[in-house]
Structure formats: C-alpha cells, structure tokens
C-alpha cells in the first residue's frame, strides 16, 4: 500500500524553459528614500505596503509590492559611463490617462525628460529623484497583436526610436475633442535622438 502512494506522488521536473507569468517588481537602492517614495507615489499613484529603516515596499494594485526602495547611505548617482538599467515602462489605459498624468505631475513640478511617439507606443519619459528612467506609455493600436506587428514594418526598421512630440499640443487636441485615432497617429518629424544617459545629481 505504501508503495502505491509513493508512486502516485512522484513527479518529473520539466527540461523546457519556463516563461514568467507576471512581471512582479523591481528594487532600487537609494540614499534619497523619502523623495523617491514621494515621486513614485505622485507619478504612479503608488502606496506604501510596508516600510522599515532598511526598505520600503510600494504597490499600485493587488500585487503585494511592485517596487522596493532599499535605504543605503552614501550611494553615488550613475554617470554617463555607467552601464545598467535604461528605464522601466508602465502602460496606461488610454491616451487620456497618459495626458492627464502628464498634466497632473507637471503641476507638481515633475517635468518629462522627453516625449516620443515610437510608432507602436506614445511614450512620456521621466527621471526619478535618483535619475532612473521611467516611461509612461499607451499602445497606439487596439490589440497587442497589431502593436507587435508594427515592429515588423519597414517604417519601424527605418526609424526604431520614433518622433518627438509636444504633450501640450496633444493635450489641447484631446480637450478639443480630436478622435483617439488622430491623437495616436505618429506626427511628422525627424527621428528622435537615442536616449541619453542619466545626468549625475
């Protein structure tokens, strides 16, 4: 009888690669913790889940945490010769949410570092108080498949970075009632410059 039970419990671990089911969180090290908490709370509507002297956990949804900020004294900001993370990106529900966030945080003194229509996405980039890049984006197309298909177009091969845009102009067009399809169209203009390295604090 014991042999039968043991056989039923046996399993084989797969040799196939496993695809993540969720991007869970990222963790930053900082000597500037309170301004970082304030910034992420303002820009991403995050709330504190738990905070100790060593680390603060924040989230914006039902995930236990989306961001951890480790408190370490004496850290130096990266310079333009430092390798590492370029930016993290968050997708908002629609162009109205993107522009509303831009206007709301602008009123708090938080200005974008650049605004780029990439072709598949309309994106507004920021730098947090430590200089880390944060992208807020909205997909240009109504489905993930259509957005992914843009990556295979000749237009994207010729200009994989995109074209700069003025969020003030886009916000005024939104408020004037321009159709969403028009707001999401890529503007005319030269290719935007590649993303620059963070500036030291």
């Amino acid at each position: 009888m014991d042999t039968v039970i043991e056989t039923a419990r046996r399993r084989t671990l797969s040799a196939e690669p496993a695809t993540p089911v969720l991007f869970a969180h990222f963790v930053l090290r900082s000597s500037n913790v309170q301004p970082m908490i304030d910034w992420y709370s303002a820009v991403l509507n995050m709330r504190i889940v738990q905070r100790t002297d060593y680390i603060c956990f924040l989230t914006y949804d039902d995930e236990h945490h989306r961001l951890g900020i480790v408190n370490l004294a004496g850290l130096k900001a990266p310079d333009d010769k430092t390798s590492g993370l370029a930016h993290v990106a968050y997708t908002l529900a629609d162009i109205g949410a993107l522009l509303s966030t831009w206007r709301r945080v602008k009123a708090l003194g938080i200005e974008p570092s650049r605004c780029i229509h990439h072709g598949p996405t309309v994106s507004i980039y920021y730098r947090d108080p430590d200089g880390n890049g944060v992208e807020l984006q909205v997909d240009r197309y109504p489905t993930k498949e259509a957005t992914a298909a843009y990556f295979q177009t000749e237009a994207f091969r010729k200009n994989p970075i995109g074209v700069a845009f003025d969020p003030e102009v886009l916000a005024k067009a939104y408020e004037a009632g321009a159709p969403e399809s028009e707001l999401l169209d890529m503007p005319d203009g030269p290719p935007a410059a590649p993303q620059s390295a963070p500036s030291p604090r």
Side-chain angles (χ1 to χ4, degrees), residues 22-77:
L22 177 75
F23 178 82
H25 63 267
F26 70 107
V27 177
L28 298 170
R29 297 178 302 160
S30 181
S31 300
N32 198 26
V33 172
Q34 190 58 53
M36 292 282 280
I37 292 170
D38 294 343
W39 193 91
Y40 281 93
S41 298
V43 174
L44 297 181
N45 197 29
M46 284 189 165
R47 65 185 183 279
I48 294 173
V49 175
Q50 184 57 266
R51 183 178 184 180
T52 70
D53 289 341
Y54 173 68
I55 192 167
C56 183
F57 297 101
L58 302 100
T59 193
Y60 50 73
D61 61 6
D62 58 358
E63 183 72 7
H64 43 79
H65 71 288
R66 292 295 187 179
L67 171 63
I69 305 174
V70 177
N71 184 18
L72 296 172
L75 298 179
K76 299 186 305 182

Side-chain angles (χ1 to χ4, degrees), residues 109-131:
I110 299 172
E111 295 282 355
S113 57
R114 63 195 217 136
C115 302
I116 307 290
H117 192 308
H118 288 295
T121 66
V122 180
S123 301
I124 300 179
Y125 291 83
Y126 294 90
R127 293 281 183 195
D128 74 15
D130 280 357

Side-chain angles (χ1 to χ4, degrees), residues 1-187:
M1 187 67 171
D2 289 343
T3 304
V4 173
I5 292 172
E6 287 301 316
T7 301
R9 289 179 178 171
R10 288 180 183 165
R11 293 181 288 238
T12 302
L13 291 172
S14 173
E16 295 300 313
T19 302
V21 297
L22 177 75
F23 178 82
H25 63 267
F26 70 107
V27 177
L28 298 170
R29 297 178 302 160
S30 181
S31 300
N32 198 26
V33 172
Q34 190 58 53
M36 292 282 280
I37 292 170
D38 294 343
W39 193 91
Y40 281 93
S41 298
V43 174
L44 297 181
N45 197 29
M46 284 189 165
R47 65 185 183 279
I48 294 173
V49 175
Q50 184 57 266
R51 183 178 184 180
T52 70
D53 289 341
Y54 173 68
I55 192 167
C56 183
F57 297 101
L58 302 100
T59 193
Y60 50 73
D61 61 6
D62 58 358
E63 183 72 7
H64 43 79
H65 71 288
R66 292 295 187 179
L67 171 63
I69 305 174
V70 177
N71 184 18
L72 296 172
L75 298 179
K76 299 186 305 182
D79 59 32
D80 60 2
K81 300 297 184 186
T82 303
S83 64
L85 182 71
H87 66 267
V88 293
Y90 296 89
T91 299
L92 299 182
D94 54 38
I95 192 69
L98 180 68
L99 294 170
S100 295
T101 300
W102 162 78
R103 179 168 285 168
R104 179 178 59 79
V105 301
K106 180 180 174 67
L108 298 173
I110 299 172
E111 295 282 355
S113 57
R114 63 195 217 136
C115 302
I116 307 290
H117 192 308
H118 288 295
T121 66
V122 180
S123 301
I124 300 179
Y125 291 83
Y126 294 90
R127 293 281 183 195
D128 74 15
D130 280 357
N132 301 299
V134 175
E135 175 187 0
L136 304 184
Q137 67 173 31
V138 62
D139 285 344
R140 178 184 181 185
Y141 297 102
T143 67
K144 293 293 182 188
E145 293 79 12
T147 302
Y150 187 87
F151 281 77
Q152 307 307 318
T153 64
E154 185 63 24
F156 192 69
R157 277 191 287 273
K158 286 182 176 177
N159 181 8
I161 297 176
V163 176
F165 71 92
D166 184 343
E168 186 68 53
V169 171
L170 205 58
K172 286 179 179 175
Y174 178 88
E175 291 174 324
E180 187 158 326
S181 58
E182 181 182 312
L183 296 167
L184 293 172
D185 278 346
M186 181 179 258

